[in-house]
Amino acid sequence: MAFTVGYALLGALAVALLLIPGLAYVIYHKPQKIYHNKWLEKISNAYGKRIDKIMHTPKK
C-alpha cells in the first residue's frame, strides 16, 4: 500500500509540474492587444526624468 501511495504522489507531482503548465500555455497563449495608457506613460516619463535628475545631482 505504501508503494501505491508513493506512486500516486509522484504521479500527482509530475502532473502538477509538467502537464498543467503546458496545457495552460497552450490554452492561454493568444496574442493580446497592447493597451497604451497615455496618462500613465506621461507620469512614468516625468518620474523617470525626476529620478535621473536626483541621482545625478545628490545633495551634499
Side-chain angles (χ1 to χ4, degrees):
M1 185 167 169
F3 286 114
T4 304
V5 172
Y7 293 143
L9 287 173
L10 286 175
L13 180 65
V15 167
L17 293 178
L18 301 173
L19 184 65
I20 300 301
L23 290 175
Y25 177 78
V26 169
I27 292 171
Y28 293 118
H29 182 68
K30 296 178 183 172
Q32 299 286 332
K33 180 181 176 184
I34 298 174
Y35 176 72
H36 295 286
N37 189 343
K38 293 178 184 178
W39 290 101
L40 184 60
E41 287 180 6
K42 287 181 183 179
I43 292 171
S44 296
N45 288 337
Y47 178 76
K49 289 177 185 177
R50 179 65 110 180
I51 292 296
D52 287 340
K53 182 179 177 184
I54 291 170
M55 293 300 287
H56 291 300
T57 57
K59 290 186 178 180
K60 292 183 179 181

